[in-house]
Amino acid sequence: MRLCLQLQSESGLAVPFDYQHELVRTFHRWLPENDIHDDISLYSLSWLNGGKAEDGKLKFPRGASWFISFYDERIAKHLLAGILRLTETTFGMRVIDVQILEAPNFGDSARFALASPALVKHYDGANMRHLTFGDTLADEIMTATMQSKMQKAGIKGPISIHFDRSYANAKTKMVNIKGICNRASMCPVIVEGAPEAISFAWSVGIGHSTGAGFGAVC
């Protein structure tokens, strides 16, 4: 299930480029005292859409759109109750509309655009590095990460994920989350496998840290 939020700027405040942690903080306010925050993330958060860069910041003169997706519809409904209880988000914005989308049936293959960059972490002993769309090992790790989430959710069936390297405008982005820099990729992904598994991927996002604002797909 996906909650598509329309936000309106009440104050006209400019938003810094590194705003993502504030969205996560808002998300936590809407779901207080919930154990999903410390568990593997079976949900994903997009970034704000509709902003224009101006004087080193973002402005949203016509408001912003933002979506949050869940595999567990019970948690999505819990979040919706929190939104209705507290419509204020961050940077002087508030929720003025919510639309609910059910996970589509994509068949056995789908190409997804990214609504927030995909973060792929590779651990080699005590060392960790971020893999980007140019590294084929990233495909293996994205697939393995999704398989772990499917096992957690009880979803069965094959799945395979890889970056669409034919996309000419692929790029990487350094994302600063509260002083921690993360090199992530803005490149579409192709997901193949069981229809239920692909719909699951649409909900939970691709790669690592989907609960922190990475890897949401559309």
Side-chain angles (χ1 to χ4, degrees):
M1 177 180 285
R2 175 167 295 179
L3 301 183
C4 300
L5 314 181
Q6 187 64 37
L7 311 181
Q8 183 179 70
S9 178
E10 298 286 287
S11 61
L13 288 175
V15 176
F17 289 124
D18 298 326
Y19 64 82
Q20 292 76 22
H21 66 282
E22 292 293 345
L23 295 183
V24 177
R25 183 177 301 177
T26 297
F27 172 78
H28 288 328
R29 286 205 309 268
W30 286 334
L31 281 177
E33 301 178 2
N34 197 297
D35 58 6
I36 70 168
H37 304 317
D38 299 319
D39 203 352
I40 186 171
S41 298
L42 300 184
Y43 57 95
S44 58
L45 288 71
S46 79
W47 284 9
L48 296 177
N49 188 39
K52 295 182 178 180
E54 185 176 323
D55 298 327
K57 291 189 176 182
L58 293 170
K59 289 192 175 181
F60 296 85
R62 297 183 179 179
S65 58
W66 177 31
F67 69 76
I68 305 170
S69 301
F70 288 89
Y71 166 67
D72 190 336
E73 292 189 2
R74 296 171 301 171
I75 303 297
K77 291 175 181 177
H78 188 186
L79 180 75
L80 179 58
I83 294 170
L84 296 177
R85 182 179 65 252
L86 179 66
T87 60
E88 291 77 13
T89 59
T90 187
F91 302 111
M93 294 185 182
R94 68 180 182 89
V95 179
I96 60 171
D97 186 58
V98 181
Q99 293 187 357
I100 301 174
L101 297 180
E102 299 294 337
N105 185 336
F106 296 99
D108 58 9
S109 179
R111 180 182 184 271
F112 293 127
L114 289 172
S116 55
L119 180 64
V120 183
K121 301 177 183 179
H122 174 55
Y123 293 91
D124 184 7
N127 299 317
M128 187 274 289
R129 64 188 178 98
H130 297 144
L131 303 181
T132 58
F133 65 89
D135 195 326
T136 56
L137 179 57
D139 301 346
E140 297 179 28
I141 294 175
M142 288 191 297
T143 299
T145 300
M146 187 60 63
Q147 289 169 339
S148 295
K149 292 190 174 187
M150 289 170 60
Q151 183 177 17
K152 173 71 177 181
I155 303 294
K156 300 185 182 299
I159 192 165
S160 175
I161 303 171
H162 64 271
F163 282 115
D164 181 3
R165 296 181 177 86
S166 68
Y167 180 64
N169 295 320
K171 60 183 179 181
T172 65
K173 185 175 181 64
M174 185 65 77
V175 184
N176 187 331
I177 304 291
K178 300 178 70 172
I180 300 175
C181 292
N182 302 269
R183 176 66 68 180
S185 298
M186 287 300 293
C187 176
V189 294
I190 295 173
V191 185
E192 299 172 315
E196 185 180 6
I198 297 176
S199 294
F200 177 78
W202 177 86
S203 297
V204 303
I206 302 296
H208 294 106
S209 302
T210 60
F214 291 96
V217 301
C218 58

